[in-house]
């Protein structure tokens, strides 16, 4: 299946500005993108990076298999327009998976593409739409606001069936400092994003029985 | 299956103190507990409320079916000890489901009890253990800290198999103000917890494309 992976190549992950410098945010965002691409290819699909500005996928240092399967297009329109331009015109299937789903696994993606519905959505926290599969030409996305609720309404109005995929892994998009905990707890030990975080000095800390992420004052040299 | 539902009957949900008065927190915590019990019974299981202090389940105003299936025990020990006292002594199965899993559904619980493993865990955010099933007498819980990671290690050391259940619904425990969004977005329209929140004046608000929960100044009379 074609899997669209939108990627804000310009100034990614600004909500992590409190804990990561701009260059670190770029490194981390690329690491998550590399992990997502590897997961998509492992699951047997073909990813297309839809980048907001020119982007050389070689910087991701992906494996040969992932590099071969991945294509890149540049589309500087807002997310909704860039995605809608790539949704199926006929009864074809296209998936859209966000580039910051660092916890995604091939098994989780299998569950996303499994439903026999016109639209399948894995919601994120705060009413977001973290991943979806569209199999009907009458459905279009609108990522503004509580997009999960909007997408349910759009599906109802278009008369297409919609199924919700109940996944913690796909429901976790890494946007804010607290989300880094999830990358360290659930990320594969050899995946890129957790490795980058650990290299930058991040580690899990337990205080008062709750878990947070902490950083050593002096990050190790990269 | 026996399903243990620990419930802090004393002063519940203190991390919601910024948005809910003490009496409201009690009402909301009970509403979530009532929803969890109804879900457990709908899924065909028998819930036992393990309350930290004497608790009359009649205040939950559950249906006859839920009332009949539910038992209450009081155990004022810390969570870990109170749960371990109720885990299986033989090759029996016991589930533990937290009382604030307001998004839980029978389908999600079916997925929790489905794995053919000695232990199945649905992790929550921050490395927590929101729900688990134990089918082996050698496994014991430890809820302090990053309990999900600790439970994996305890299982490894005990030589028992462990499977992780990937569920957004079971992964969402309602602890903090931001979690109220999830109750309003994903809760059943006729479930108790979302109804209580709406009665208290809470509603979804979209600002800058992100969704939060807002409250009218004057709550409606209950």
């Amino acid at each position: 299946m074609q899997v669209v992976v939108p990627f804000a190549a310009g100034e990614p992950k600004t909500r992590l500005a409190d804990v990561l410098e701009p260059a670190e945010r770029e490194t981390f965002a690329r690491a998550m993108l590399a992990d997502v691409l590897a997961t998509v290819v492992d699951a047997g699909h073909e990813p297309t990076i839809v980048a907001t500005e020119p982007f050389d996928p070689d910087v991701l240092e992906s494996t040969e298999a992932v590099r071969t399967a991945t294509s890149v297009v540049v589309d500087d329109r807002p997310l909704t327009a860039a995605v809608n331009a790539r949704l199926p015109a006929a009864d074809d299937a296209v998936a859209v998976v966000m580039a910051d789903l660092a916890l995604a696994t091939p098994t989780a993606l299998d569950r996303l593409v499994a439903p026999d519905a016109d639209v399948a959505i894995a919601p994120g926290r705060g009413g977001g739409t973290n991943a979806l599969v569209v199999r009907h030409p009458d459905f279009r996305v609108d990522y503004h606001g509580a997009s999960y609720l909007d997408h349910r309404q759009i599906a109802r109005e278009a008369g297409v069936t919609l199924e919700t995929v109940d996944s913690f892994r796909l429901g976790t998009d890494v946007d804010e400092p607290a989300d880094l905990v999830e990358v360290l707890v659930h990320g594969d030990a050899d995946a890129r994003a957790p490795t980058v975080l650990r290299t930058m000095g991040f580690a899990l800390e337990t205080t008062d029985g709750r878990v947070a992420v902490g950083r050593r004052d002096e990050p190790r040299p990269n």
Side-chain angles (χ1 to χ4, degrees), chain A residues 119-132:
Chain A
V119 179
I121 296 187
R125 279 173 61 90
T129 300
N130 282 11
L132 85 165

Side-chain angles (χ1 to χ4, degrees), chain A residues 69-138:
Chain A
T70 302
S71 49
V72 181
V73 297
V74 176
D75 192 326
D76 63 3
R77 287 176 291 178
L79 180 62
T80 295
V83 166
N84 277 331
R86 284 156 186 93
L87 289 186
D91 283 340
D92 210 1
V94 173
V96 183
V97 173
M98 293 303 155
D100 60 357
L101 302 190
L103 272 50
T105 57
T107 304
L109 286 188
D110 287 350
R111 290 184 52 223
L112 177 71
V113 303
D116 186 25
D118 297 325
V119 179
I121 296 187
R125 279 173 61 90
T129 300
N130 282 11
L132 85 165
V133 175
V134 180
R135 291 189 171 85
H136 197 290
D138 290 350

Side-chain angles (χ1 to χ4, degrees), chain A residues 3 11 21 23 36 57 62-63 71 73 89 107 124 129 164 168 173 178 180 185 204:
Chain A
V3 177
E11 201 192 343
E21 297 298 321
V36 167
S62 297
T63 62
S71 49
V73 297
T107 304
T129 300
T164 301
F168 179 85
D173 47 323
L180 300 183
V185 169
L204 295 174

Side-chain angles (χ1 to χ4, degrees), chain A residues 46-57:
Chain A
E46 305 83 46
T48 299
I49 303 170
V50 179
T52 49
E53 53 187 67
F55 176 75
D56 178 1

Side-chain angles (χ1 to χ4, degrees), chain A residues 15 17 42 70 72-73 80 120 123 134 139 143 186 194 210 213 216-217:
Chain A
R15 283 154 66 190
D42 270 6
T70 302
V72 181
V73 297
T80 295
V134 180
F139 181 85
Y143 280 103
H186 296 283
R210 294 171 61 193
V213 78
R216 290 192 310 274
D217 284 346

Side-chain angles (χ1 to χ4, degrees), chain A residues 3-198:
Chain A
V3 177
V4 170
V5 183
F7 183 61
E11 201 192 343
K13 297 285 129 203
T14 49
R15 283 154 66 190
L16 290 172
D18 284 350
V19 294
L20 293 177
E21 297 298 321
E24 292 174 330
R25 296 205 299 273
E26 190 169 285
T27 300
F28 181 57
R30 288 175 177 183
M32 291 199 290
L33 173 62
D35 287 341
V36 167
L37 297 176
T39 298
V40 168
V41 174
D42 270 6
H45 307 295
E46 305 83 46
T48 299
I49 303 170
V50 179
T52 49
E53 53 187 67
F55 176 75
D56 178 1
D58 285 353
V59 301
L60 299 176
E61 297 174 14
S62 297
T63 62
E64 183 63 28
V66 172
R67 248 193 301 230
T68 307
T70 302
S71 49
V72 181
V73 297
V74 176
D75 192 326
D76 63 3
R77 287 176 291 178
L79 180 62
T80 295
V83 166
N84 277 331
R86 284 156 186 93
L87 289 186
D91 283 340
D92 210 1
V94 173
V96 183
V97 173
M98 293 303 155
D100 60 357
L101 302 190
L103 272 50
T105 57
T107 304
L109 286 188
D110 287 350
R111 290 184 52 223
L112 177 71
V113 303
D116 186 25
D118 297 325
V119 179
I121 296 187
R125 279 173 61 90
T129 300
N130 282 11
L132 85 165
V133 175
V134 180
R135 291 189 171 85
H136 197 290
D138 290 350
F139 181 85
R140 287 300 177 261
V141 296
D142 179 354
Y143 280 103
H144 191 266
S147 64
Y148 170 66
L149 295 177
D150 293 343
H151 288 151
R152 288 175 62 111
Q153 190 176 340
I154 291 167
R156 262 195 307 273
E157 288 172 3
V160 307
T161 59
L162 183 146
E163 197 160 312
T164 301
V165 178
D166 175 28
S167 170
F168 179 85
R169 288 189 170 276
L170 299 180
T172 304
D173 47 323
V174 180
D175 276 325
E176 301 183 351
D179 301 328
L180 300 183
V181 173
E182 309 310 328
V183 178
L184 293 177
V185 169
H186 296 283
D188 249 14
D190 54 352
R192 204 74 70 78
T195 303
V196 160
L197 286 184
R198 281 190 293 263

